[in-house]
Amino acid sequence: MKYLLITIFLLTLGTSNSEQEFGNSNLRLGLFQNQNVRCYVKADTEQLSGFLNRNGGIYFSTFRGWSKIELKGQQLIHLSQLEWCSSIRIEGGKGQILSDTSLINTKTDRVHQGAVQRHPSYTGSGVVMGFVDTGIDFTHPDFKNKDGSTRIVKIWDQTKNADSTVRPSFGYGEVYDSAMINAGNCPHVDNNGHGTQVCGMGAGNGNSVPDSIADYTGHAPNSTIICVNTDFNRANWTLSIAESIEWIFSEADKLGLPCVVNLSVGTYSGSHDGKDLAAQVIDSMVAAKPGRFVVGAAGNAGSIGPFHLRTEVVSDTAFTYFKSNTNSNFGNAIFIEAWGDTAAMKNLKIGFGYTDTTLWSDSIFYLEPTANRLDTLMTTSLGGNSQLLTFSEVQGGVVLYQVLCTNPQPQHFYGLFTVGSGTHDIWSTSLLGWSDIVRTGSPTIGQYPNISKYIYPDTNQSIVSSWNCSPNIISVGNYENRKSYVNQFDSLVIYAAAVVGQKGGTSSRGPNRLNYTKPDLMAPGNYTMGAGRFQDLNYLKTNATNGYKLAKGGYHFGNGGTSMASPAVAGIAALYFEKCPTTTSEEVRKALINNTFSDSYTGVVPNNVFGSGKVDAFATLSSSNLNDSLLVSGKTVICKGDSIKVLLSSVYPTYKWNDGISSLDRYVNNSDTLYMTFSNNSGCIGKSDTLVTVGVEIPVVSVISETDSFCVGGELVVKGSGAATYLWSNKENGDSIIVDEAGVFYLTGKDSNNCVGYDSIALTQYRCNIGIDDNENLPFTIFPNPVNNYLTIEGFNKESVGVDLTIMNAVGKIVLKRKLESGVSLEIIQVDVSHFQSGWYILELNYKTASNKYRFVKY
């Protein structure tokens, strides 16, 4: 292994590795000695309980073996020195804010307009949007209903602690509800204005300005709002963010509503891998039940210059210098935090020293394996009032390595020296209160040959840390939203530098430390018109110099950054929850990422600038469509007396027909209009196609014949009527048939709708060619002939003999049959034929000794 020419220079003044006054713990503990600090501790639980009781501490809960407690910083220092306390987790960094056309660019306007196939307009109804930010100006009309009542359910102001009667269970801040807001008794004030604009972008309803003037609707304008005013100066700030999310989710649970939390705030300090405790706590809450989602702004460090340093050592030495910062959080000091996986740090030796810029020689105070300084605070006096402190700990498989050099000498370049093999990452800049990484003014190789081993910072991984780096949380970058706007003076203001669709210059880029693609996607941020707090609106209305910034209508003005991009995505997630209220965070995340769009600005995606691409609300919501079809067992024109079975093509947990019936299938027998709504296990609501049925009467089918009897050997024409097509029982299918024998004939007729009617006729045959007695040779007289009313038979005297009298028509059909009584005188018989049809008939008299037939005519 080739080493730099290094002089291991351990100063003779105080070279002992003595224990520093605030114990073996994270160096950040020294920043909070006089503050209450809420943190996670790994310690013997019984010993910890007694310690808290004796020192006025508070125990809250346990998370994966860590106890969440609160103690004064000085007492935490004492706790860190106790044998039974193995670790105190202080997450680094101070919270920072991360600061229309947006609806069009994200295609949210199409969702609002009801363009998602077979679905209504989605506007966030029935969904809670939670905002952790600087608070909200609840007097702004965009956060009110049309009747003037507030849309805000609750506000937790963590910066106020005067009224203990409204203090939440977390023990700090004050909570105000909608009743207090509506009654004018809410003391909360957005002291920055950032939170008001963020809330407006995510959930403002645009009621402040008529649509005829401008549309300032947010992405989820009908959602329910809950706000947290975070205390950016709170010790261990990231933990308070986890508690804020816990509180918002709890309030949403009380309402029985799904919830999206937007975080347009963050810190650039930390491990940038989502493995810190705050991120893990947030992950666990999001995964605990469906209907929860968290969106974070990726950060606005894209234009501040390189401040990320990745050192990869293979077989040689690498080093980097850090500038002293007289205004750092530790005073005049150099502070460095290096992060790396335990495996990547195992074979590294890390040292700290300086290069004398007059002699260009190196002096190293120590150089040893990282394991030597695990859980041990080591202090070395550098002479005068200068000290060198180091501390290292393992946080869930990740090594944090800290170096603090107080009061460094100005003529020296102080640096971190690394030998061996492995990798670590550092984020450091004076803008964050730490030290700038030296990237200019380096000596030449001639002056200082070792400069060839120098590692320069880069512009990668400039996103904020913690939850934003978790693969389970959506991280949002920003692109430029608009080119111009109309201001309060009705003048067109043009942003000369804006290129709509192009990456915002300040938008941070990834990946995270573990090389996961971050940000996850992009949304419009720069040049966005946001709802302004009244303090700012009134200033712009009356200020001659800056009045042009106020947009037409007087309630909005421009802002930008990932702060404005993040609530756009959070609002789209709220629309998704309105459609699919019991979906999981992972489903929403995939729907957002898998349905982005790319263009000439994004280039090939995914990448670490645009993530998977630009968010597309319409495609995201359409991706969960359950547009199944209705299946029909028959035709939709239903003949009276028939029915058809209608059912959905797939099986789902719930069904509801438009008339309220809840079943997978049903039978329909009349005119109707039917469709079904249904839902899957994620609560996604689907709508079937629409089925229109028409009920019609069956045709009146008739069999028509001049008579129902005819002569043997003869033929009879029988016709059908009332249908479009016919089928006779003798298999013929014309509208008429010729019959030559007796029987029952059935007719099936169908109309143009294939509805069926039926009729039948019974036909008989008679022998028509029978012998007829000569009317003149009869032994009796029959008159008159032709006859109209009564036919008289006279001279027929057959006493005590039964006589059958039969009259048949011309085709042999019997039209009258009588039996004359025996033993009665039959000298005169009259037969009523008045009701007979005109034509000729045969009278037949049958008696014991003879039979006579007589032909007569009825007129």
Side-chain angles (χ1 to χ4, degrees):
M1 181 181 296
K2 183 177 180 182
Y3 292 97
L4 292 176
L5 298 177
I6 298 174
T7 302
I8 304 299
F9 179 51
L10 296 177
L11 297 178
T12 58
L13 295 174
T15 58
S16 63
N17 292 332
S18 62
E19 183 178 82
Q20 205 269 348
E21 61 178 355
F22 54 87
N24 295 326
S25 62
N26 191 306
L27 294 180
R28 293 178 184 271
L29 257 183
L31 298 173
F32 311 121
Q33 295 190 45
N34 297 315
Q35 298 181 41
N36 285 330
V37 180
R38 190 162 298 192
C39 60
Y40 282 98
V41 173
K42 186 161 285 188
D44 180 274
T45 54
E46 290 188 11
Q47 298 272 24
L48 178 62
S49 177
F51 185 87
L52 293 175
N53 289 333
R54 292 189 299 273
N55 293 279
I58 304 172
Y59 166 82
F60 292 99
S61 60
T62 300
F63 176 74
R64 299 177 183 172
W66 292 84
S67 297
K68 184 166 72 171
I69 67 167
E70 183 171 293
L71 270 174
K72 279 280 189 184
Q74 290 177 336
Q75 292 155 342
L76 276 175
I77 291 172
H78 178 42
L79 178 61
S80 71
Q81 299 169 347
L82 300 176
E83 182 179 335
W84 46 266
C85 177
S86 59
S87 183
I88 299 176
R89 187 64 59 84
I90 302 291
E91 309 293 357
K94 178 181 178 181
Q96 301 181 39
I97 57 177
L98 303 173
S99 303
D100 144 59
T101 304
S102 178
L103 299 183
I104 298 172
N105 290 335
T106 60
K107 303 178 187 176
T108 303
D109 60 329
R110 298 186 65 189
V111 178
H112 288 180
Q113 294 160 7
V116 177
Q117 185 181 15
R118 299 183 190 171
H119 288 271
S121 169
Y122 290 112
T123 56
S125 296
V127 181
V128 169
M129 285 204 72
F131 298 90
V132 183
D133 215 287
T134 67
I136 186 171
D137 185 344
F138 54 81
T139 64
H140 197 289
D142 286 4
F143 309 125
K144 295 182 179 181
N145 299 306
K146 289 185 177 180
D147 62 4
S149 61
T150 186
R151 294 172 52 213
I152 303 168
V153 175
K154 284 187 178 178
I155 300 172
W156 179 13
D157 192 330
Q158 297 177 353
T159 67
K160 294 185 181 294
N161 285 285
D163 187 352
S164 61
T165 65
V166 291
R167 188 158 298 148
S169 60
F170 293 93
Y172 60 99
E174 297 177 358
V175 173
Y176 319 114
D177 60 20
S178 57
M180 297 175 70
I181 296 173
N182 288 328
N185 296 326
C186 177
H188 167 69
V189 175
D190 180 357
N191 286 319
N192 180 278
H194 183 269
T196 298
Q197 289 202 297
V198 168
C199 291
M201 180 54 54
N205 58 21
N207 282 351
S208 57
V209 180
D211 289 345
S212 58
I213 295 177
D215 183 6
Y216 296 113
T217 304
H219 287 263
N222 288 325
S223 58
T224 299
I225 301 172
I226 297 178
C227 290
V228 174
N229 180 16
T230 182
D231 182 359
F232 290 99
N233 294 315
R234 187 170 180 80
N236 208 18
W237 175 76
T238 57
L239 178 55
S240 74
I241 297 298
E243 290 179 331
S244 300
I245 295 173
E246 181 182 353
W247 179 76
I248 293 173
F249 282 159
S250 175
E251 293 299 321
D253 288 346
K254 293 176 185 177
L255 298 171
L257 300 177
C259 179
V260 181
V261 177
N262 179 76
L263 301 173
S264 289
V265 292
T267 176
Y268 296 93
S269 295
S271 61
H272 290 75
D273 53 21
K275 291 186 175 183
D276 58 283
L277 274 177
Q280 291 182 53
V281 170
I282 293 170
D283 281 353
S284 69
M285 288 188 290
V286 169
K289 61 184 297 187
R292 292 179 171 183
F293 198 63
V294 174
V295 180
N300 302 319
S303 61
I304 67 172
F307 68 94
H308 166 254
L309 177 71
R310 165 155 285 196
T311 300
E312 297 184 19
V313 184
V314 179
S315 60
D316 207 341
T317 302
F319 71 101
T320 302
Y321 296 132
F322 295 81
K323 290 182 181 179
S324 174
N325 182 2
T326 57
N327 297 312
S328 81
N329 296 337
F330 291 100
N332 180 26
I334 294 172
F335 180 70
I336 304 169
E337 282 189 335
W339 301 86
D341 294 331
T342 53
M345 300 277 271
K346 181 179 179 180
N347 296 318
L348 278 181
K349 290 182 179 180
I350 293 181
F352 183 81
Y354 65 82
T355 299
D356 188 323
T357 58
T358 59
L359 302 175
W360 292 112
S361 60
D362 298 327
S363 299
I364 308 301
F365 300 114
Y366 71 90
L367 183 64
E368 59 185 47
T370 57
N372 289 11
R373 302 200 172 219
L374 280 176
D375 301 319
T376 303
L377 180 63
M378 294 185 177
T379 304
T380 301
S381 175
L382 303 183
N385 60 351
S386 182
Q387 279 189 324
L388 177 63
L389 299 87
T390 63
F391 177 76
S392 181
E393 65 181 352
V394 177
Q395 298 185 2
V398 181
V399 176
L400 165 62
Y401 194 96
Q402 295 177 318
V403 177
L404 173 62
C405 178
T406 61
N407 298 306
Q409 298 301 308
Q411 73 271 24
H412 296 157
F413 280 178
Y414 289 86
L416 197 69
F417 295 80
T418 311
V419 178
S421 62
T423 303
H424 65 74
D425 290 88
I426 294 172
W427 291 264
S428 192
T429 171
S430 59
L431 296 176
L432 305 179
W434 312 128
S435 304
D436 284 323
I437 303 172
V438 176
R439 63 178 190 272
T440 60
S442 301
T444 65
I445 291 181
Q447 291 174 306
Y448 180 56
N450 292 334
I451 197 66
S452 63
K453 311 301 181 184
Y454 193 85
I455 306 298
Y456 287 90
D458 58 55
T459 57
N460 296 327
Q461 303 186 43
S462 59
I463 54 174
V464 292
S465 185
S466 194
W467 55 84
N468 204 70
C469 292
S470 167
N472 303 312
I473 304 300
I474 286 286
S475 172
V476 184
N478 111 83
Y479 66 85
E480 297 188 355
N481 180 45
R482 65 194 307 159
K483 180 74 175 178
S484 62
Y485 68 97
V486 177
N487 69 11
Q488 64 171 327
F489 307 121
D490 211 25
S491 298
L492 182 65
V493 179
I494 298 176
Y495 296 116
V499 179
V500 176
Q502 180 177 276
K503 171 189 172 293
T506 63
S507 186
S508 294
R509 62 177 293 158
N512 76 354
R513 190 182 63 79
L514 301 179
N515 207 35
Y516 291 142
T517 298
K518 289 287 178 175
D520 292 286
L521 46 74
M522 278 274 198
N526 284 357
Y527 310 111
T528 297
M529 293 294 113
R533 60 174 180 163
F534 274 95
Q535 178 181 339
D536 298 323
L537 299 176
N538 293 333
Y539 169 78
L540 293 175
K541 285 178 182 178
T542 59
N543 186 276
T545 304
N546 295 301
Y548 73 93
K549 296 178 182 179
L550 188 62
K552 189 172 183 179
Y555 286 91
H556 304 81
F557 59 89
N559 206 331
T562 58
S563 283
M564 298 298 122
S566 180
V569 176
I572 294 169
L575 304 183
Y576 196 96
F577 273 141
E578 181 183 3
K579 184 183 179 189
C580 308
T582 57
T583 194
T584 65
S585 174
E586 180 61 17
E587 288 178 87
V588 182
R589 181 180 176 277
K590 286 182 178 178
L592 287 165
I593 290 177
N594 293 341
N595 291 285
T596 55
F597 67 93
S598 58
D599 56 23
S600 60
Y601 296 112
T602 66
V604 178
V605 292
N607 58 55
N608 288 310
V609 176
F610 282 85
S612 62
K614 296 178 176 179
V615 68
D616 186 328
F618 178 74
T620 296
L621 267 74
S622 297
S623 69
S624 63
N625 282 356
L626 306 174
N627 297 328
D628 278 330
S629 301
L630 295 177
L631 301 178
V632 182
S633 63
K635 296 189 175 181
T636 56
V637 176
I638 306 173
C639 306
K640 186 175 182 179
D642 290 345
S643 65
I644 60 173
K645 184 179 181 181
V646 184
L647 74 162
L648 198 64
S649 61
S650 302
V651 178
Y652 293 91
T654 64
Y655 313 91
K656 190 172 185 180
W657 295 90
N658 55 304
D659 58 1
I661 295 176
S662 297
S663 62
L664 173 62
D665 55 31
R666 63 184 301 174
Y667 289 87
V668 183
N669 59 11
N670 214 327
S671 297
D672 211 341
T673 299
L674 295 170
Y675 61 87
M676 177 189 280
T677 56
F678 45 92
S679 61
N680 60 13
N681 290 324
S682 297
C684 297
I685 300 169
K687 183 180 178 183
S688 71
D689 52 350
T690 299
L691 175 70
V692 178
T693 61
V694 179
V696 296
E697 296 290 329
I698 62 173
V700 179
V701 176
S702 300
V703 177
I704 303 172
S705 174
E706 291 183 356
T707 179
D708 58 2
S709 62
F710 61 102
C711 299
V712 175
E715 294 179 338
L716 183 64
V717 176
V718 182
K719 294 185 177 181
S721 69
T725 62
Y726 302 91
L727 178 64
W728 299 85
S729 53
N730 64 358
K731 306 303 182 184
E732 296 188 34
N733 56 15
D735 61 354
S736 65
I737 58 173
I738 299 175
V739 179
D740 59 4
E741 59 183 23
V744 179
F745 293 84
Y746 298 94
L747 175 62
T748 301
K750 293 184 178 181
D751 62 12
S752 58
N753 295 316
N754 277 334
C755 294
V756 179
Y758 303 93
D759 197 16
S760 64
I761 187 171
L763 300 178
T764 59
Q765 284 184 306
Y766 294 92
R767 288 181 296 117
C768 299
N769 297 324
I770 56 175
I772 303 299
D773 293 322
D774 187 346
N775 291 356
E776 297 180 356
N777 298 323
L778 290 173
F780 44 84
T781 302
I782 300 176
F783 64 91
N785 189 6
V787 62
N788 185 25
N789 294 318
Y790 291 94
L791 184 66
T792 302
I793 305 171
E794 189 176 283
F796 186 83
N797 189 4
K798 303 292 182 180
E799 293 187 20
S800 303
V801 178
V803 179
D804 291 326
L805 183 152
T806 304
I807 297 177
M808 295 175 289
N809 62 17
V811 296
K813 182 179 180 181
I814 298 173
V815 295
L816 179 66
K817 192 174 182 69
R818 285 173 55 187
K819 191 173 185 68
L820 304 181
E821 297 182 9
S822 300
V824 177
S825 176
L826 302 176
E827 283 292 330
I828 298 175
I829 304 171
Q830 285 191 322
V831 180
D832 184 1
V833 296
S834 61
H835 59 285
F836 286 13
Q837 293 181 354
S838 298
W840 62 267
Y841 293 84
I842 297 174
L843 169 66
E844 182 176 1
L845 295 171
N846 293 296
Y847 43 94
K848 186 176 182 180
T849 58
S851 175
N852 298 108
K853 293 182 176 66
Y854 176 77
R855 191 194 309 267
F856 68 91
V857 176
K858 167 69 171 62
Y859 65 90

